[in-house]
Amino acid sequence: MTRLLTAGALGAAVLAVAPAAASAATQQLLTGSISTGGTAARACQLAPAAGAPGVVTRTVQVPTLGVVTARLTGSRADWDLAVFDVGTRRLVGASAAPGTAELAQGFGLPGRRLLVQACLRDGASGTPRLTVSNREMGKDIEAFRLKLVEVATPTQAAKRLVQALDLDLTEHGGDGTLQLVLHSSAEEAKLRDAGFTPKVVVADLITMAAQNAAETLRYRATTARSALPSQRTDYRHLADYESEMKMLAQQNPGLVKLITLPNKSLEGRPILALEIAKDVNVADGRPTFVQTGVHHAREWPSGEHAMEYAYDLIRGFGKDERITRIVTQGRTVVVPIVNVDGFNLSREAPVDLGTAAAMANLPTEANEQLPIADPAYTAAILADQSSGSFAYKRRNCRVKDGAMPAEGECGTMASRTLGTDPNRNYGALWGGAGADFTPTSDIYRGAAPFSEPETQNIQALVSTRQATALITNHTFSNLILRPPGVRAQGVSVDETALKALSDGMAAQNGYASIPGYQLYDTTGTTEDWSYAATGGFGYTFEIGSEQFHPPFPEVVGEYEGIGQFAGKGNRAAYLLAAEASVDAAQHSLLTGRAPKGTTLRVKKEFASQTSPVLQDAEGKTGAPISFPDRVESLLEVGDSGAFTWHVNPSTRPQLAKARTTSEIADAPASELDISSPTPVLPAQPKLVEFMVPANATRQFRASISSAVPVDDYDLYLYEDEFGPNNLSGSSASAEAEEVIVFDDPVPGRKYILEIRNFSAVGPVDGKIQFLAAKPGTLVTSPPQKESYTLTCEKPAGTVLTTQKVTVDRGQKLALGNVCARGQASGKSPLKLSVGVDRRRLGKALSSGIRTRARCSVRCTVRVLLTLDGRTSKRLGLSKAGKTVVVARTVTKRNLMGRKTFTLKFTPKARAALRKVAAGRTVRFRVLATATDAQKRKVSASRAVTLRR
């Protein structure tokens, strides 16, 4: 008689597992050499295959509930490794990395017999060494069910207070709420003591994970092929990613290259990537789009979507016109699993029913529950709440700063609350808000910027390619986040273009497109560093609406699109980002000539800075840390000697903004009394509207206090209007003065202070002090220019020439013969900028458009005004939907410095554009080309929108 696996059975099975007797922390179960003849026919992790050609098996018995680690070392062949439960055929752990350095790890139950299976995939066998050990996992401190809760955060100050509690903060929330995972009753008490009332969203995450796995298993049993490019029907294990990446590279030479990133994980695993491009092995100057997944271990869909996008490009090349164009014009690098150690523990945590098909009686009807033949199987896959909690592990395996973990140590209960959050460890803005200095915090930033091998790998990857676009995938919240991650950074210099691409992607998947800080301040994140260091556009995708790893059908739906977004989804959003990555108007272009076979190198070394480093729970900060950073990429000159090189702008975004700094005067220029002689009522906060005086715009300081010792008032600051997105706040404990300090306010703009009664019965005293800059200390830093160093080198590495190259976003720079000796002087090449006056479209059609061009040396300039293919086709200017020139200068203009001239519309364009309805806008692009006396050419462009 078969037994149905119901939610109740899941809970009962948990109780059925008895703890093992105490034993030594780590026990060696097996050690010895192996060898075989022939090669295995299929991936090692798919099923036990004892006796098959190329397969070597050994059997061990688990002495105690713990982490089973099998390692294979010492051969030049490509071996894979897998561990199965003998009775249930459950996959315990597996590894399919290139070569023989294999690490298969998972959770084992006391008394269970395990089959350790090594599979020779390629090469001569040799005699690699196989070792198997078991480390006792230990017990959880308390029987606490992991839960997902939501708290009200109506202000930015409330969000910051939640962040300061060292809790497991998710990326899910809105203007007025945030969600957290609670791991213990102590964490729940801490949240309540801080004044928050948690609303339970999911009462038991472990049981939910098991139910999700059961739903995924039913889906797999009734769905032969999903709509995904790979047609998968369930989540991959780490070995699945590794073996598929090896297979894709082997089957597609010239199109797909397998990359092993420079740093192994803390447990010794290689971290793999796929590079996809036509003629992938030729370094020919094409731009790169980087896709990463699984920074956070529990966020499995992020790896699935990255991997499926790789399949999309590979299988669509030569068949799908859009994909073929992307693969031909650019490169894509996919890193599906950044945090390999953490993901392996999360994925192998025994709440997964996905391997049950090998022993189950599969249903004949789609609506039947899946019967499990062996009741012991349920116990084996669920273990207990302790091991199950690893399904929601977030961080990597840095158990102790500066030290490598011992064998199996990361999977023990003593280490469950330890590790570094990789997405708080990147250098730019590291150490500030939204990350924590406490090693037990789930948003622990690490000991130093880039202290972890995972982030060092992504730094090396992005820094050595012209990564013009990057997406780092996460779960969950249905969000697309763009830089900056910290509100105090202000609007990015590229905000218009960053937002346009983000909004375009959001139109494909229905996600909200917002700046990173709008969710809450975060520092040390992937895209904040990549954008700050390289200027390449970077985004975070928060995939899905409700869960870290939901049932697999939801992963399919998010990628392919559902409802009104059917046929679009994240697939369409990724393709849009890839197209932006090859659009030279979004980055920069270098063209020129060099002898065949030479290597060109552009590089830039600079010092990057962290945030002021948060040091304690009271908000005390230390000075920012400077750390060395660099970008460097290569181009190999082909047979023609001509090159076109897509690069990011040479000037980093933060230097392209004007900045003003000054010291603050010792005494205020004026004060405003904001006291209330009567108590402010709890339900009726006092709002104080004010303007900043024109003579005191350096800083204002608002403060309140109460004469009653136990009174507790809070203070919040808003800009323009009262609402949830406040600028700053102060909510100290009773008896403490509440103070808000705000630098460089805008004169003439309305600000609002809110005095809120948290727990008070007496009147409140308060004031705003307006301060000016100290005389003689005002320093205005205009936008700066930064240059690449371009070298021409012989194949053996001898440097022939060196020059400085400065190139802006959207600029095409013609360098001429970059290996000619005259280029070694370091003189700046010809530079061009172009501007345009905005006016009504009707007036422009009649009188033309005034443009301005500036050349750094004497040059001849020609300027055109164009319409994109879609608009020109709609207006009847182009049947083929190609870009059309609608206005131009009558003759080329000779100039040095700046000159203004007029573009005249063609008669055909003038007639078509006059049909545009009143109030509608038309977007044009100004294209300018300049040539100097040495026949060097440079181009510049600028978009302009005119209203009819």
Side-chain angles (χ1 to χ4, degrees), residues 643-900:
F643 67 85
T644 298
W645 201 347
H646 292 255
V647 298
N648 281 309
S650 58
T651 302
R652 285 172 287 153
Q654 63 267 39
L655 298 182
K657 293 175 64 175
R659 293 167 294 168
T660 301
T661 59
S662 64
E663 296 181 24
I664 302 169
D666 296 327
S670 60
E671 290 189 3
L672 176 65
D673 186 3
I674 59 172
S675 301
S676 175
T678 58
V680 175
L681 298 179
Q684 298 178 18
K686 179 178 180 178
L687 302 181
V688 181
E689 297 184 6
F690 64 95
M691 300 282 192
V692 177
N695 66 340
T697 58
R698 179 59 184 87
Q699 186 183 84
F700 65 77
R701 301 172 184 171
S703 61
I704 59 172
S705 60
S706 176
V708 180
V710 295
D711 275 0
D712 192 353
Y713 282 102
D714 294 335
L715 188 62
Y716 299 98
L717 175 68
Y718 304 85
E719 183 180 66
D720 293 332
E721 63 181 25
F722 178 69
N725 290 315
N726 66 311
L727 297 173
S728 185
S730 175
S731 54
S733 59
E735 302 182 27
E737 183 182 40
E738 307 289 351
V739 179
I740 290 177
V741 177
F742 194 80
D743 287 320
D744 304 315
V746 180
R749 181 170 294 174
K750 181 175 72 176
Y751 293 89
I752 303 171
L753 276 173
E754 177 195 12
I755 302 174
R756 186 184 304 175
N757 186 332
F758 181 78
S759 175
V761 295
V764 61
D765 296 324
K767 62 184 176 183
I768 306 175
Q769 296 179 317
F770 300 98
L771 297 105
K774 184 179 290 187
T777 66
L778 184 65
V779 177
T780 299
S781 300
Q784 299 178 42
K785 292 287 187 180
E786 202 169 31
S787 299
Y788 287 121
T789 298
L790 170 63
T791 57
C792 174
E793 305 171 10
K794 289 183 177 181
T798 303
V799 175
L800 299 175
T801 62
T802 301
Q803 62 178 297
K804 295 293 185 182
V805 173
T806 305
V807 61
D808 297 327
R809 193 177 300 280
Q811 185 180 12
K812 179 180 178 181
L813 192 60
L815 300 176
N817 185 352
V818 298
C819 295
R821 288 293 178 182
Q823 295 285 359
S825 64
K827 293 181 179 179
S828 297
L830 168 66
K831 289 178 278 190
L832 170 71
S833 61
V834 63
V836 60
D837 288 344
R838 297 180 184 275
R839 55 174 58 179
R840 287 283 184 177
L841 179 58
K843 186 174 181 180
L845 294 174
S846 301
S847 307
I849 295 182
R850 286 165 55 86
T851 59
R852 301 173 304 283
R854 181 189 297 274
C855 275
S856 58
V857 296
R858 182 160 295 281
C859 67
T860 302
V861 174
R862 184 70 177 269
V863 184
L864 305 173
L865 188 71
T866 66
L867 267 179
D868 66 87
R870 183 180 297 177
T871 306
S872 62
K873 186 176 182 179
R874 176 169 55 84
L875 294 175
L877 293 172
S878 169
K879 292 183 180 180
K882 295 182 178 179
T883 299
V884 170
V885 176
V886 295
R888 68 183 77 222
T889 52
V890 178
T891 59
K892 293 182 179 180
R893 300 293 299 272
N894 191 273
L895 61 97
M896 180 174 178
R898 171 177 160 175
K899 280 194 177 181
T900 301

Side-chain angles (χ1 to χ4, degrees), residues 51-107:
V55 177
V56 179
T57 59
R58 298 287 187 269
T59 303
V60 298
Q61 188 168 20
V62 181
T64 182
L65 176 65
V67 182
V68 176
T69 302
R71 286 188 184 269
L72 197 61
T73 57
S75 170
R76 295 184 178 181
D78 183 15
W79 286 82
D80 293 345
L81 189 61
V83 180
F84 298 91
D85 185 290
V86 172
T88 66
R89 300 170 67 89
R90 177 178 72 91
L91 179 67
V92 174
S95 173
T100 309
E102 305 296 338
L103 166 60
Q105 192 176 72
F107 296 92

Side-chain angles (χ1 to χ4, degrees), residues 462-631:
V462 173
S463 296
T464 54
R465 288 162 173 79
Q466 293 295 336
T468 54
L470 175 146
I471 290 177
T472 172
N473 293 283
H474 291 255
T475 63
F476 58 98
S477 272
N478 284 358
L479 294 174
I480 300 176
L481 307 175
R482 63 183 182 273
V486 179
R487 183 181 296 271
Q489 289 290 304
V491 175
S492 162
V493 69
D494 296 307
E495 166 64 9
T496 300
L498 280 164
K499 184 178 186 301
L501 179 54
S502 180
D503 290 350
M505 293 188 291
Q508 308 304 310
N509 56 20
Y511 292 4
S513 165
I514 62 173
Y517 64 76
Q518 191 168 319
L519 179 63
Y520 52 78
D521 276 354
T522 53
T523 53
T525 60
T526 315
E527 75 276 14
D528 265 353
W529 168 78
S530 66
Y531 174 64
T534 73
F537 289 176
Y539 301 91
T540 286
F541 272 41
E542 294 289 351
I543 299 169
S545 60
E546 294 181 340
Q547 296 187 37
F548 296 112
H549 42 263
F552 198 75
E554 295 184 25
V555 178
V556 179
E558 289 290 336
Y559 188 82
E560 296 292 332
I562 54 177
Q564 70 184 92
F565 302 101
K568 297 180 180 179
N570 280 344
R571 177 184 189 272
Y574 295 155
L575 292 174
L576 198 65
E579 289 170 334
S581 75
V582 301
D583 181 2
Q586 302 284 6
H587 46 272
S588 310
L589 207 61
L590 304 178
T591 63
R593 302 183 310 280
K596 171 186 173 181
T598 53
T599 296
L600 305 183
R601 184 189 308 270
V602 290
K603 64 180 180 181
K604 182 176 56 174
E605 297 180 346
F606 48 91
S608 290
Q609 277 202 328
T610 68
S611 295
V613 180
L614 189 66
Q615 294 181 324
D616 59 33
E618 300 301 319
K620 181 182 177 182
T621 59
I625 299 171
S626 290
F627 60 93
D629 222 339
R630 64 184 290 157
V631 293

Side-chain angles (χ1 to χ4, degrees), residues 306-327:
M307 192 68 185
E308 292 302 326
Y309 183 68
Y311 270 97
D312 239 333
L313 296 186
I314 295 166
R315 294 186 170 173
F317 178 67
K319 301 172 185 175
D320 181 285
E321 182 179 348
R322 187 180 187 189
I323 287 176
T324 301
R325 186 167 57 250
I326 289 169
V327 174

Side-chain angles (χ1 to χ4, degrees), residues 67 364 459 734 812 824 948:
V67 182
T364 56
Q459 181 190 31
K812 179 180 178 181
R948 184 76 170 94

